Amino acid sequence: HTRNNFAVWSVHSDDDGLSWSSPRELQNVVRTDPKGPDCQRNMSYFGFDIDKLDIHNIPALVKFVYELGWARQDPYRSDRWASKLQGPWQFVGLEPPGSV
């Protein structure tokens, strides 16, 4: 499991879930930046003007939905998407910036 989107922990059971080990943090699984994540990043970072929906950005919304599901390509394997998910603190949330 993860904690705060960056600390990865592991537990295991040797008896089909009757008992569990104590959680232990797995080291060097994710890269973080001491300054913290960029929590103000929004969908414009990915090239979609859909941070506020209105009649004028429906084409951008359709393109976003297409790329996520109907394109039949894993967005994480797309060069365009993968180029934006480089470096420390790369996670994608669905809430508006600053809501957490």
Side-chain angles (χ1 to χ4, degrees):
H1 64 277
T2 61
R3 183 176 147 269
N4 295 338
N5 289 321
F6 67 90
V8 179
W9 294 73
S10 176
V11 297
H12 72 275
S13 173
D14 289 326
D15 55 12
D16 294 329
L18 295 175
S19 63
W20 293 91
S21 67
S22 297
R24 70 181 175 89
E25 186 173 3
L26 303 178
Q27 300 297 316
N28 301 317
V29 175
V30 295
R31 293 181 292 157
T32 59
D33 186 327
K35 296 180 287 187
D38 178 2
C39 293
Q40 298 304 310
R41 187 179 295 168
N42 52 36
M43 293 309 295
S44 296
Y45 174 78
F46 294 100
F48 299 100
D49 181 23
I50 57 173
D51 299 323
K52 293 192 178 14
L53 294 179
D54 64 36
I55 194 76
H56 303 294
N57 59 12
I58 288 176
L61 177 63
V62 170
K63 182 179 178 186
F64 170 69
V65 171
Y66 174 78
E67 285 194 21
L68 283 186
W70 292 323
R72 306 224 193 280
Q73 177 183 9
D74 180 351
Y76 291 97
R77 299 195 192 289
S78 158
D79 289 339
R80 193 174 80 71
W81 282 84
S83 70
K84 299 293 188 178
L85 296 173
Q86 300 294 322
W89 294 99
Q90 297 303 322
F91 59 91
V92 178
L94 299 177
E95 64 277 348
S99 66
V100 176

